[in-house]
Amino acid sequence: MILKQRFVKPLTVALCLTAAAVTSSLAQAATFRVAVGDGAGSAQHALGLKFAEEFKAKTGGKHDTKLFLNGQLGDEQATVNDASMGLLDFSILAINNVTPFSPTVGVLTLPYMMQSLDDAVKLTQGEVGKELTENTIRDAGVRIVGWTYTGFRVLTNSKHPVNSLQDLQDLKIRVPQNEIMIDTYRAWGINPTPMAWSETFTGLQLGVVDGQDNPYLTIYSMKFDEVQKYITDIRYLFSIEPLVVSEAVYQSQPADVQQAILEAGKAATEHSAKWLVEQEDKIKAELTSKGMEITTPADGEKEWMDKAVEQVWPKYYEQLGGKEKLNEILTSLGRDTI
Ligand code: MLT
């Protein structure tokens, strides 16, 4: 496991280190800090704003939240550690940056598992989502209370159009520090470069890497059009970006505040799905008007999918709860079993 060792066992440490959170939660009126990995105008931001509005309303204006955008409170993976120790209240981050701390969440990063927004909603808001939330509390000391739906991660690069896996072979591609995503690019024939999200823009700008993948909404809000020219519209990963609350902070709250957190998270989740549908096409057009060129794989993505599913899935059956578990999930999505 690439990053598992970095993780400090959550709840035991949390009890000793919750000074900041406990102070804020016991005070009459508290302002909770929310780390947001992406910038203004992103899907993460939209979810955070809706959560903040609903949470304030549901606590009768007593409690507030403050969003810290663009990774100001640390890299996304670092915010999981901080929240697990009670040093941070909330974080909104890509699911791929939670997986290193709670392996079963990897089912949401498995290439070609989710093939639509509907699939993403079904998985996150149904039994699978509930189970992943429990696992994440146990493994990582954070509770998922909301889900951002950001759309499929598309491939961008600064060098040339990519219409086939052949075109990918001379490119240096950044991936998150996530084993499943690293293995997916290996299945596609290249050795990608794992890099923290907070370093990605600079990495692209300086040419340390030529490309990366992220949803249209993220590419736009992070201004990647300034350092990337070509987009390949692939659909291997539907991006899910949960809102997590430190379990230590959550448990230190009275029942009515806990309830307000859960209800505000639910309302923000519903808002996120609608927001994606409203925004994605507009953003795609904006990126084109800013000079980005969008192509789709010439083979309809067949080779990409075949290679990823054949080479990556079997390696993760055990980590994700076994083949049977994956078959249950596939069946719930109305798909053929493996
Ligand atoms: C990543 O690529 O590390 C994430 O998708 C970044 C994000 O949170 O948007």
Side-chain angles (χ1 to χ4, degrees):
M1 290 275 145
I2 300 176
L3 285 166
K4 207 148 183 250
Q5 297 89 326
R6 261 183 47 193
F7 179 53
V8 190
K9 216 37 184 168
L11 284 175
T12 39
V13 181
L15 295 175
C16 317
L17 294 175
T18 48
V22 169
T23 310
S24 71
S25 62
L26 290 183
Q28 274 303 75
T31 298
F32 292 86
R33 291 182 312 150
V34 184
V36 183
D38 294 348
S42 61
Q44 291 185 3
H45 188 206
L47 180 100
L49 288 173
K50 185 69 179 170
F51 177 77
E53 177 196 321
E54 294 280 336
F55 181 60
K56 190 166 185 177
K58 286 178 194 305
T59 59
K62 182 173 160 195
H63 293 313
D64 221 336
T65 46
K66 182 164 168 47
L67 306 182
F68 293 84
L69 300 178
N70 278 314
Q72 283 174 73
L73 296 186
D75 183 63
E76 289 193 1
Q77 293 195 3
T79 67
V80 179
N81 269 335
D82 287 349
S84 77
M85 293 190 285
L87 300 174
L88 172 67
D89 302 320
F90 291 89
S91 178
I92 307 175
L93 74 169
I95 195 73
N96 44 272
N97 289 326
V98 180
T99 321
F101 307 100
S102 189
T104 56
V105 165
V107 75
L108 301 178
T109 324
L110 210 52
Y112 300 99
M113 169 56 91
M114 288 178 282
Q115 300 191 353
S116 64
L117 171 60
D118 260 13
D119 283 357
V121 168
K122 262 190 215 153
L123 283 195
T124 52
Q125 294 184 37
E127 283 310 306
V128 174
K130 266 192 217 144
E131 199 175 321
L132 295 179
T133 300
E134 280 158 22
N135 294 351
T136 308
I137 295 169
R138 182 198 62 210
D139 301 336
V142 295
R143 175 183 292 256
I144 298 170
V145 293
W147 302 95
T148 318
Y149 304 106
T150 318
F152 287 102
R153 295 177 73 107
V154 296
L155 178 69
T156 67
N157 85 89
S158 56
K159 296 275 195 248
H160 54 70
V162 172
N163 297 315
S164 65
L165 288 183
Q166 196 52 41
D167 296 333
L168 189 63
Q169 303 307 307
D170 65 334
L171 296 177
K172 284 178 284 172
I173 301 293
R174 173 268 170 181
V175 283
Q177 285 152 329
N178 176 296
E179 288 183 342
I180 298 178
M181 294 169 80
I182 293 169
D183 279 336
T184 301
Y185 277 90
R186 287 194 178 138
W188 290 340
I190 65 167
N191 230 340
T193 307
M195 186 182 280
W197 179 230
S198 52
E199 291 161 20
T200 302
F201 185 93
T202 312
L204 294 166
Q205 190 172 39
L206 298 179
V208 178
V209 283
D210 304 316
Q212 60 87 49
D213 68 62
N214 256 296
Y216 286 109
L217 300 179
T218 310
I219 293 163
Y220 182 71
S221 65
M222 299 306 285
K223 302 189 175 13
F224 278 10
D225 53 280
E226 292 174 8
V227 290
Q228 299 281 267
K229 170 91 177 149
Y230 304 99
I231 297 181
T232 311
D233 193 64
I234 51 174
R235 301 167 73 82
Y236 85 110
L237 211 54
F238 189 97
S239 184
I240 303 283
E241 314 198 64
L243 164 67
V244 300
V245 60
S246 157
E247 183 63 5
V249 171
Y250 180 81
Q251 291 301 341
S252 71
Q253 299 306 309
D256 59 334
V257 176
Q258 289 184 347
Q259 191 60 24
I261 291 173
L262 299 180
E263 286 175 9
K266 191 162 185 291
T269 301
E270 280 159 15
H271 172 73
S272 176
K274 285 192 210 119
W275 196 80
L276 169 64
V277 174
E278 281 163 24
Q279 297 296 318
E280 201 174 34
D281 282 346
K282 276 193 259 172
I283 296 295
K284 216 166 145 178
E286 274 289 319
L287 288 171
T288 313
S289 76
K290 283 172 179 284
M292 295 195 83
E293 288 175 19
I294 305 177
T295 55
T296 46
D299 68 346
E301 219 172 319
K302 185 174 179 332
E303 194 185 1
W304 306 61
M305 183 158 162
D306 288 351
K307 289 207 154 126
V309 172
E310 276 160 27
Q311 294 177 41
V312 181
W313 282 41
K315 202 173 158 190
Y316 290 93
Y317 288 157
E318 203 183 322
Q319 171 180 319
L320 301 178
K323 213 169 158 178
E324 266 177 33
K325 167 64 66 191
L326 288 181
N327 277 334
E328 266 173 42
I329 296 174
L330 287 167
T331 306
S332 75
L333 295 177
R335 300 239 301 280
D336 292 343
T337 52
I338 41 175

